Amino acid sequence: DVKVTQSSRYLVKRTGEKVFLECVQDMDHENMFWYRQDPGLGLRLIYFSYDVKMKEKGDIPEGYSVSREKKERFSLILESASTNQTSMYLCASSLNPGLVEKLFFGSGTQLSVL
Amino acid sequence: QKEVEQNSGPLSVPEGAIASLNCTYSDRGSQSFFWYRQYSGKSPELIMSIYSNGDKEDGRFTAQLNKASQYVSLLIRDSQPSDSATYLCAVMASGGGADGLTFGKGTHLIIQP
C-alpha cells in the first residue's frame, strides 16, 4: 500500500529555532512536495522536487529551505522559526516526473512556534 | 495569478439526498481537474479526476466539467454521514508541473442524519 510518512504529528518549537520536518515515501515516486495548510488560506505550495538533489520554489518559499539527498526522502527546513510559521505542514508525492497527477499525502505535522 | 474558487460552506445536506459541490477556475488553459476529500484532522485524499468536458461517474460520485464556463462540480448521490468532510477542488494548468496545481480553499460538507 502507498505510504508517505511524516516523522512527527505534532511539534512545538521556540522562535528562532532551526526546525527539520522529515518526509519519507516508499513508492519510488519521482515527485515530492511540501505544502502548508492554514484555515481560510487553503493549501499552499512551499517547495517541490522532481528528482534527487533537485528543488524548485513553490508559491511561498520565503523562510524555508529543502533537501532531497535520497529519492525517498524530502526534508523541509525552517532556518529560524517564526510565529507566522505555525501551521499544518503536509508532505506529498506523485509518480510521474514533471507531471502531477494523483498526489499522495502524508498525515501532516502540526507545528506550533511559540 | 491562477485562482480556484469554492464556496467555503458549510453546506448541509440531509442523508440520502444529492450533495452538489461547485468550483470555478480562472485559467482558461487548465487541463486537469481533481477533487480531494479531507476529513477533519486528516490529510487530503484523491477521490475523482476529470480531464474532458462532460460527466465522469465513479460509484456514488460524479464529476462534471464545463471548460467553456470554467466550472467543475462534484455530485455525491445518496449522501451518507461518512461523506461529511471538506472537499478540495484542484486545477492543473496546461503543461503540468507541480507549480501548476492550484487548490481551492475547500467546501465543508455536513450530511445530516
Side-chain angles (χ1 to χ4, degrees), chain A residues 13-113:
Chain A
K13 297 293 181 180
R14 296 239 177 247
T15 302
E17 277 192 79
K18 189 169 186 175
V19 181
F20 293 87
L21 302 183
E22 305 287 345
C23 176
V24 177
Q25 51 95 1
D26 65 358
M27 298 164 285
D28 202 33
H29 281 177
E30 302 291 334
N31 308 321
M32 296 190 75
F33 312 88
W34 277 105
Y35 289 88
R36 64 179 282 178
Q37 186 173 33
D38 301 285
L41 295 177
L43 273 167
R44 293 180 292 168
L45 181 63
I46 304 172
Y47 266 97
F48 60 100
S49 169
Y50 289 140
D51 201 354
V52 175
K53 296 192 186 294
M54 175 274 176
K55 58 186 177 185
E56 293 287 345
K57 293 179 180 179
D59 298 322
I60 51 163
E62 296 79 19
Y64 303 95
S65 62
V66 290
S67 172
R68 194 169 182 197
E69 296 296 319
K70 294 184 177 181
K71 187 177 183 180
E72 67 271 18
R73 186 179 296 270
F74 193 37
S75 302
L76 180 69
I77 303 156
L78 287 66
E79 294 290 342
S80 177
S82 63
T83 55
N84 63 12
Q85 292 178 310
T86 292
S87 185
M88 171 64 80
Y89 289 88
L90 289 163
C91 175
S93 71
S94 70
L95 178 59
N96 295 309
L99 181 66
V100 174
E101 294 177 341
K102 180 173 182 176
L103 290 180
F104 293 86
F105 285 90
S107 55
T109 296
Q110 179 63 54
L111 173 66
S112 297
V113 182

